[in-house]
């Protein structure tokens, strides 16, 4: 596998098979529809989005891309899944928004000599790729001095296994069974180390708590399960 193909074909097939449900708030991505406003609010309070160059890595059907475009950001969304990008482009026709969608990996995108960005996001993707460190190293090269990098993923411990796999996938069926591989979960200390090794400053780590019974999500000081990291490229 070359660095330009830092993805698992089986993962692309898995998400491609349900890509038609990206914009169904009651479908298989319904938890992302609940979490998306929380992610947007966190990004917006930490970094100015208006008229800023923004890149969303692993954008899927474009939920976060459109949300950031609504805040007047100049958004580019990339994903290795051509089906997801097609869904994202199709949904864009229903809005007055502008998003530049491309089917590619971050490595391919960087190799094409693209611009640098003020804000880069990578949500719920690192736990699905073979080499998450390479994602971070490549992304760091695309950040402007003073630029912001936001990442969300899942902690690796017994609680996260019970909540995200046993609970969310099998008991509550909130997401399709087999969505996650526990071995690919990432501890915050690991992620922060990778970010610092790539020359980034870690600003904050926050938990994202999803409450199934109430179908709500909110930020939390506890990163035991889902969490989001804000990093920054020094000026």
């Amino acid at each position: 596998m070359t660095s330009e193909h830092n993805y698992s074909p089986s993962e692309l097939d898995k998400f491609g098979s349900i890509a038609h449900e990206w914009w169904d708030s009651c479908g298989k991505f319904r938890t992302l529809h609940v979490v998306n406003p929380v992610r947007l609010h966190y990004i917006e309070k930490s970094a100015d989005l208006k008229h800023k160059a923004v890149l969303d890595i692993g954008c899927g059907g474009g939920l976060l891309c459109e949300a950031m475009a609504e805040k007047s950001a100049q958004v580019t969304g990339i994903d290795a899944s051509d089906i997801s990008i097609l869904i994202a482009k199709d949904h864009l026709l229903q809005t007055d928004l502008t998003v530049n969608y491309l089917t590619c990996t971050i490595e391919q995108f960087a190799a094409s000599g693209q611009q640098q960005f003020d804000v880069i996001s990578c949500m719920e993707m690192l736990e699905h790729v073979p080499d998450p460190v390479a994602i971070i190293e490549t992304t760091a090269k695309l950040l402007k001095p003073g630029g912001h990098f936001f990442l969300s993923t899942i902690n690796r411990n017994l609680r996260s296994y019970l909540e995200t796999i046993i609970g969310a996938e099998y008991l509550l069926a909130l997401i399709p069974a087999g969505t996650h591989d526990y071995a690919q979960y990432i501890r915050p200390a690991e992620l922060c180390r990778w970010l610092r090794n790539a020359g980034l400053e870690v600003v904050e780590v926050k938990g994202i708590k999803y409450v199934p019974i109430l179908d709500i999500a909110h930020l939390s000081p506890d990163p035991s399960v889902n969490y989001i990291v804000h990093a920054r490229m020094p000026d």
Side-chain angles (χ1 to χ4, degrees):
M1 177 179 294
T2 68
S3 61
E4 289 192 355
H5 296 84
N6 188 4
Y7 60 82
S8 166
S10 62
E11 289 291 289
L12 289 189
D13 291 343
K14 181 195 306 179
F15 286 97
S17 67
I18 57 174
H20 62 283
E21 296 194 40
W22 266 113
W23 286 95
D24 181 358
S25 61
C26 297
K28 292 182 173 64
F29 294 104
R30 64 185 182 275
T31 56
L32 287 184
H33 283 264
V34 176
V35 170
N36 199 52
V38 177
R39 302 186 303 187
L40 175 65
H41 176 71
Y42 183 76
I43 293 172
E44 194 178 17
K45 80 175 183 64
S46 305
D48 181 21
L49 290 176
K50 190 172 183 179
H51 306 314
K52 299 298 184 181
V54 177
L55 174 66
D56 187 29
I57 305 168
C59 66
L63 299 185
L64 184 57
C65 285
E66 287 200 12
M68 292 191 291
E70 287 178 346
K71 301 299 180 178
S72 301
Q74 299 171 356
V75 184
T76 297
I78 65 171
D79 200 289
S81 168
D82 54 356
I83 299 174
S84 291
I85 290 295
L86 179 61
I87 295 296
K89 288 181 176 179
D90 283 349
H91 191 270
L92 202 61
L93 298 176
Q94 304 174 34
T95 74
D96 294 324
L97 302 171
T98 299
V99 179
N100 178 32
Y101 286 118
L102 299 169
T103 303
C104 62
T105 64
I106 185 61
E107 292 86 359
Q108 292 167 334
F109 183 79
S112 65
Q114 296 291 334
Q115 68 183 89
Q116 287 189 309
F117 293 85
D118 300 292
V119 177
I120 300 180
S121 56
C122 181
M123 303 297 179
E124 287 84 45
M125 194 195 83
L126 290 183
E127 70 272 20
H128 295 287
V129 299
D131 190 355
V133 176
I135 301 290
I136 291 170
E137 292 174 343
T138 303
T139 300
K141 299 173 184 176
L142 292 172
L143 268 176
K144 293 180 180 179
H148 301 269
F149 189 17
F150 298 92
L151 313 91
S152 65
T153 188
I154 305 174
N155 204 338
R156 188 174 71 254
N157 54 49
L158 178 60
R159 178 180 169 184
S160 68
Y161 174 76
L162 293 174
E163 288 193 19
T164 65
I165 295 179
I166 300 301
E169 294 188 17
Y170 292 96
L171 296 180
L172 300 178
L174 296 173
I175 53 179
T179 294
H180 296 114
D181 179 353
Y182 175 74
Q184 291 185 276
Y185 285 3
I186 302 166
R187 293 184 176 129
E190 295 170 333
L191 182 51
C192 290
R193 183 175 70 250
W194 299 340
L195 289 164
R196 293 187 181 104
N197 288 344
L200 296 159
E201 300 172 345
V202 176
V203 179
E204 187 177 43
V205 178
K206 298 284 286 187
I208 298 180
K209 177 66 176 177
Y210 174 71
V211 185
I213 295 176
L214 301 176
D215 202 28
I216 60 173
H218 59 83
L219 290 175
S220 164
D222 180 10
S224 297
V225 186
N226 298 88
Y227 65 97
I228 189 167
V229 177
H230 174 203
R232 182 176 175 275
M233 178 63 71
D235 292 316

